[in-house]
């Protein structure tokens, strides 16, 4: 009877796989470490208190951001120049120079790969780790975290700045989890003074005393109405209570008011015309006040045309096109978090739903390209100064170390202290794994 | 065995026969039938496929997946034995089956985990499944079967036990084409819908009921699925239901179920509650103050029936039910992906629909008209049915969800794992719609096809679950429409009466309402059938069925639950509270405040319920979570979330801008010098359809009454009105 397994327990198939790994410079030891991390135990070191997800809605071109191809033909290279980082051979887009200067704090994954090139599908995939199915909508990271951690203070545990209208806006954000975990949209525009959150300020003629009385009246009405009704739980309306507490809390309101922010710090993020910067600043303030998850929604990255103007300079003298805005926002956020000693506790993720076509199209833009794209991570103990995986010379496919959005999800959950194998339940009792079965944690991102 | 005893006749006819059989199967003889006794011949399709199915080999998570696993693909739940035979015996150069040394066949080693198998140990070496497999290979790994499966019977179909902890043995019997039958319990997979309520021993097929209530166990043999109902009554004592009113078949069947479950119903709702409920359900509006006063004052024992008839004949009914059907048909002002949003088609469609509802057109005729529609969609309303979703496959999914209450979606990529739909059904239905040109001019085109992903050829038009249509048939819609609206069609009538039932009672007999399938049985099977039959017999008359439901005692039950029935959400022991739909709520708020809402560019006074375009600019409707109709509106709403809505109620304009508006109801009453408590009473009637209770009057007297200085009255009354519009009793239908 032939012996299918070696005496040290490694099966024939696995041995072949390990052989393949040695091409990446990994040995058997690393292989076993990888096996352990692939959804097995929770890495105890990985437990960020909070996460700021900078979502580049529309699918940011990897070539114009974190994976430029300066050696490639002009129609792939594109119109923008590049800038060096401290890492030999690693360059970023020229307009991300400030961020490039912080490479020692960043981990860049250049071999992200997906099969979904449509906005809604791609967004669902990146935001939940699952490909969309008709059976159930999965919760995005923020909702899962809010559900697992609960809401500690007055501020909602899952917040979106300015809103959660991402990827065609079909993603609810909470999927099958309770509505209370849905991202709360801050809304509105921001100016020098900060964000004007819709409906947090009193309607004219109202004040807190009146709101309090109104709330109490509702409580009384509900109590009268549900008397003799055994199915009535507690009669207080939980959402009404949450809303009231939010309005009543000057602390909570102050989070949105930037007037106590030193000028020096504000300048890190660019000025108030930089909407991504303003949003990142708010995210930092919210995280500082105990909010576990903030999504910054940066719109406009779906550059099918006019790539140069939209990304670099919309008109002569424009300082705040997409790339300069992102550059200030990201570098500002990471420096600020670092200066405050918050970087080790805060995970920063920068991504969109896919990359863009390596060959420019007829309109001077790029179309959807999920086969290869980039994601940047920082904070939460993620070892900086590294590039994980590469795309090929044209940026078309992963050259090595392909990473799927499912793997990314398992990693993000692990870094946030949630076991990717954790089972949550839908409303009708169906158990669902937090990250997909078979997803593997990216070991290079775990310290 | 002595060689002398095994003589083989070597005449040439026998040799020819052997040669022929050798050509048709790798080894072995055809013919010997019979159950898999130790001496008998192992039948690949009838004996082995069930083994693989029970062991989970061909489940969607393993080799039954669309792309298989580890390079080995089986058909989902054994739906295609011939293909499975190919995969096992002939693929990978026949390495999976080793005729010379059967026990070394990959197909034996892998599932018994004698070599590494990602799927784990699925068969135990030496036990029956593995033994059958080995024997089959030893017998030459043949394919030919002597009989085919006719049907599977599960016993019991339904069982009522006295108390939790009771165990019952489940049995499955297969009936074959040659008249034989066989106990196949050990190859049947029994799955409890709620494993925390029913424990199933997979060895003995015994089901143990752990909790009181009604539980479903799904029995699956190969791809045949049967639900089993297991009931443990909710209390030890049988409630006396003899005095409960029985106004027809609905009440009889509801009370039957309550009796079996030993669930005592709540009493009937009072007049005020009933009036508000039925007015909302049938006309989408609150009863006016005058109507409420009059109804409550009348002593006529038939007043509820009279009110129902009045509502059914009203213009408001037509308006509201046009909205309900418009949501079902997803009428919106621009097809998926269309750059130019033209409202014209949607308006014509809506107008046409409104006319059908007014005229009480039979639902079968409505469906036929819509399915057979052609023409300029800007002129022919129903033609817009083909501009609702984009592409023949989406069209197939849409049509089946709407008119069959069934989600064919999964059958796109493989035979539906939970139901009977096959890829042929899905792509065959899509093939019918591929012939329809859905530009502004909707017409039949001579060519138009979908490619079947398995055959990679043109999919043949097919009525789902039925037959292929003739290959030369250009427009298959006629056949489709006839099939759908045939009185014997098992889906059409059930799907719509289930929705009508849900609209009135708060929950479908099948939930979700677009997910009818064998593994999702109705809570009241006989009731659903009766409702459907009654509907068909009365000409598919929507008003008739709504009336029948509205007249039942079950419909008029109170929503106040007792300690005993408070956890019942499916058996109508008490009425179910439902949230008001966004359009209805918006209109109700406007009516109570006496100030119309404004919607986009629509003329002042337009009611939200009559809006054609679900994207009409309206902060109110957005906050209240209206459905955009780009997808089904029947799944739980993707609204802005409770927190945002309450913040807006507190500080937004929706309520605050209009509560005290000049000319509004409150303002008029104050200017007319009415006393606070009189104002309170009128608002109670306007918003809640009732008079305040004594305790409530006392409360408001204290808050806004004599002891409060008059200059504060206005402010307090505004607060009162606000709270009335935010309280649970107002925003819900109960």
């Amino acid at each position: 009877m032939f012996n299918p397994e070696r005496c040290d327990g490694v099966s024939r198939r696995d041995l072949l796989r390990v052989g393949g790994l040695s091409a990446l410079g990994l040995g058997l030891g690393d292989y076993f470490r990888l096996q352990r991390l692939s959804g097995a135990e929770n890495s105890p070191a990985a437990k960020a208190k909070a996460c700021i997800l900078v979502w580049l809605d529309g699918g940011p071109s990897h070539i114009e951001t974190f994976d430029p191809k300066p050696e490639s033909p002009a129609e792939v290279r594109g119109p923008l120049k590049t800038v060096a980082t401290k890492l030999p051979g690693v360059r970023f887009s020229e307009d991300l120079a400030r961020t490039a200067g912080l490479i020692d704090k960043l981990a860049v994954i250049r071999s992200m790969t997906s099969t979904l090139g449509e906005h809604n599908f791609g967004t669902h995939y990146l935001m939940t780790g699952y490909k969309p199915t008709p059976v159930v909508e999965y919760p995005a990271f923020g909702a899962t975290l809010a559900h697992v951690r609960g809401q500690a203070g007055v501020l909602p545990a899952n917040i979106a700045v300015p809103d959660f209208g991402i990827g065609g806006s079909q993603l609810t954000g909470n999927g099958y989890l309770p509505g209370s975990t849905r991202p709360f949209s801050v809304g509105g525009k921001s100016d020098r003074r900060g964000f004007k959150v819709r409906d947090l300020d009193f309607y004219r003629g109202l004040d807190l005393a009146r709101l309090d009385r109104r709330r109490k009246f509702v409580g009384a009405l509900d109590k009268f109405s549900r008397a003799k009704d055994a199915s009535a739980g507690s009669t207080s309306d939980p959402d009404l209570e949450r809303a009231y507490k939010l309005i009543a809390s000057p602390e909570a309101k102050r989070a949105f008011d930037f007037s106590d922010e030193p000028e020096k710090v504000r300048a890190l993020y660019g000025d108030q015309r930089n909407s991504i910067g303003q949003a990142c600043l708010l995210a930092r303030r919210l995280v500082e006040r105990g909010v576990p998850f903030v999504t910054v929604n940066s719109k406009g990255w779906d550059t099918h045309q006019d790539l140069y103007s939209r990304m670099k300079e919309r008109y002569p003298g424009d300082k705040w096109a997409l790339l300069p805005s992102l550059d200030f926002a990201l570098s500002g956020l990471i420096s600020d978090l670092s200066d405050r000693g918050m970087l080790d506790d805060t995970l920063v993720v920068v991504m969109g739903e896919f990359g863009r076509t390596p060959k420019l199209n007829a309109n001077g833009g790029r179309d959807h390209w999920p086969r290869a794209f980039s994601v940047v991570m920082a904070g939460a103990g993620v070892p900086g100064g590294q590039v994980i995986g590469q795309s090929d010379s044209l940026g078309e496919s992963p050259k090595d170390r392909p990473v799927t959005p499912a793997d990314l999800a398992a990693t993000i959950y692990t870094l946030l202290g949630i076991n990717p194998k954790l089972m949550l339940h839908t409303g009708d009792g169906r158990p669902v794994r937090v990250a997909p079965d078979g997803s593997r944690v990216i070991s290079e991102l775990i310290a | 065995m002595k060689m002398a005893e095994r003589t083989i006749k070597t005449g040439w006819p026998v040799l020819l026969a052997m040669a022929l059989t050798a050509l048709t199967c790798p080894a072995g003889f055809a013919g010997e039938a019979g159950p898999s006794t130790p001496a008998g011949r192992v039948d690949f399709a009838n004996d082995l496929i069930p083994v693989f199915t029970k062991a989970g080999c061909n489940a969607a998570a393993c080799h039954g997946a669309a792309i298989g696993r580890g390079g080995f693909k089986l058909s989902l739940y054994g739906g295609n034995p011939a293909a499975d035979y190919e995969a096992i015996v002939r693929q990978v150069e026949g390495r999976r089956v080793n005729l010379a040394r059967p026990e070394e066949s990959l197909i034996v080693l892998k599932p018994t985990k004698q070599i590494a198998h990602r799927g784990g140990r699925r068969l135990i070496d030496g036990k029956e499944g593995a033994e059958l497999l080995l024997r089959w290979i030893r017998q030459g790994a043949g394919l030919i079967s002597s009989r085919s499966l006719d049907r599977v019977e599960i016993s019991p179909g339904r069982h009522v036990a006295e108390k939790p902890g009771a165990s019952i043995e489940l049995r499955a019997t297969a009936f074959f084409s040659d008249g034989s039958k066989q106990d196949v319990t050990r190859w049947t997979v029994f799955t409890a819908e709620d494993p925390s309520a029913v424990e199933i021993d997979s060895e003995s097929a015994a089901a143990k009921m752990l909790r009181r209530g009604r539980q479903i166990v799904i029995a699956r043999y190969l791809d045949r699925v049967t639900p089993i109902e297991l009931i443990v009554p909710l209390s030890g004592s049988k409630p006396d239901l003899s005095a409960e009113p029985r106004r027809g078949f609905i009440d009889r069947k509801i009370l039957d179920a309550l009796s079996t479950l030993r669930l005592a119903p709540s009493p009937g709702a009072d007049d005020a509650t009933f009036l508000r409920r039925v007015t909302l359900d049938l006309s989408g509006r609150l009863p006016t103050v005058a109507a409420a006063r009059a109804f409550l004052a009348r002593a006529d024992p038939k007043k509820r029936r009279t009110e129902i008839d009045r509502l059914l004949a009203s213009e408001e009914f037509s308006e509201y039910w046009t909205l309900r059907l418009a949501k079902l048909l997803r009428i919106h002002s621009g097809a998926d992906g269309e750059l130019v949003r033209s409202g014209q088609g949607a308006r014509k469609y809506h107008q046409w629909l409104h006319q059908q509802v007014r005229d009480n057109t039979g639902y079968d005729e409505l469906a036929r008209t819509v399915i057979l529609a052609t023409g300029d969609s800007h002129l022919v309303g129903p033609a817009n049915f083909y501009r609702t979703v984009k592409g023949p496959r989406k069209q197939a999914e849409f049509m089946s969800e709407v008119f069959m209450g069934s989600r064919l979606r999964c059958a796109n990529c493989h035979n539906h794992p939970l139901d009977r739909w096959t890829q042929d059904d899905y792509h065959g239905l899509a093939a019918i719609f591929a012939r329809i040109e859905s530009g502004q001019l909707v017409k039949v085109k001579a060519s138009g096809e979908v490619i079947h992903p398995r055959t990679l050829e043109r999919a043949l038009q097919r009525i789902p679950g039925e037959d292929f249509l003739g290959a030369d048939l250009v427009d298959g819609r006629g056949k489709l429409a006839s099939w759908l609206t045939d009185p014997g069609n098992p889906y059409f009538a059930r799907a719509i009466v289930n929705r009508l039932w849900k609209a009135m009672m708060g929950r479908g007999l099948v939930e979700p309402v677009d997910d009818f399938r064998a593994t999702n049985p109705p809570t009241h099977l006989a009731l659903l059938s009766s409702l459907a039959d009654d509907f068909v017999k009365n000409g598919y008359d929507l008003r008739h069925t709504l009336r029948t439901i509205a007249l039942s005692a079950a419909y008029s039950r109170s929503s106040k639950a007792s300690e005993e029935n408070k956890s019942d959400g499916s058996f109508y022991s008490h009425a179910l509270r439902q949230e008001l739909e966004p359009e209805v709520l918006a209109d109700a708020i406007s009516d109570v405040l006496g100030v119309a809402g404004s919607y986009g560019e629509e003329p002042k006074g337009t009611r939200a319920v009559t809006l054609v375009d679900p994207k009409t600019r309206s902060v109110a409707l957005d906050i209240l979570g209206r459905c955009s109709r780009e997808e089904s509106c029947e799944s739980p709403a993707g609204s802005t979330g409770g927190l945002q809505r309450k913040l807006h109620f507190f500080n937004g304009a929706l309520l605050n801008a209009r509560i005290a508006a000049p000319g509004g109801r409150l303002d008029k009453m104050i200017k007319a010098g009415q006393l606070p408590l009189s104002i309170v009473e009128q608002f109670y009637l306007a918003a809640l359809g009732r008079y305040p209770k004594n305790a409530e009057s006392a409360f408001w007297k204290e808050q806004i009454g004599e002891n409060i200085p008059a200059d504060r009255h206005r402010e307090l009354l505004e607060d009162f009105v606000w709270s009335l519009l935010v309280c649970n009793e107002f925003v819900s239908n109960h």
Side-chain angles (χ1 to χ4, degrees), chain B residues 31-195:
Chain B
E32 252 186 298
S36 46
T37 61
R41 175 146 225 95
V42 180
D43 183 323
F44 177 76
N46 290 317
D47 295 328
L48 276 189
I49 299 281
V51 171
F52 295 142
T53 313
K54 172 86 182 193
C57 310
N58 54 21
C62 300
H63 299 291
I67 48 165
R69 277 244 179 214
F72 179 39
K73 174 167 163 51
L74 291 174
S75 62
L76 186 64
Y77 297 150
N80 189 344
D84 293 345
Y85 183 82
E86 277 294 308
I88 292 172
V89 175
R90 297 208 212 277
Q91 277 178 12
V92 288
E93 288 141 7
R95 276 176 54 221
R96 295 192 172 118
V97 168
N98 187 336
L99 289 176
R101 286 211 278 268
E103 64 283 353
E104 284 182 25
S105 308
L106 267 181
I107 195 72
V108 172
L109 293 175
K110 281 263 175 187
T112 54
K113 217 170 182 218
Q114 290 176 70
I115 59 174
H117 181 223
R118 287 280 283 282
R121 192 186 309 273
R122 311 308 300 197
L123 297 175
I124 300 177
D125 195 22
K127 287 267 199 88
E128 190 179 345
E131 281 302 299
L132 275 171
L133 186 47
L134 253 170
R135 249 174 59 221
W136 171 71
I137 303 176
R138 288 199 181 110
Q139 290 170 357
L143 171 60
I144 295 178
S145 298
S146 58
R147 58 185 183 166
S148 60
L149 181 65
D150 189 30
R151 68 184 192 283
V152 182
E153 279 179 13
I154 308 288
S155 95
R158 185 173 181 267
H159 179 77
V160 180
E162 256 309 303
K163 47 182 197 264
S167 225
I168 176 146
E169 288 196 345
L170 306 173
R171 288 279 163 269
T173 310
F175 290 81
F176 293 94
S177 52
D178 62 353
S180 62
K181 66 179 185 189
Q182 187 179 330
D183 183 315
V184 292
T185 307
R186 61 182 291 91
W187 307 119
T188 303
V189 180
F190 296 98
T191 320
E193 253 188 12
D194 183 356

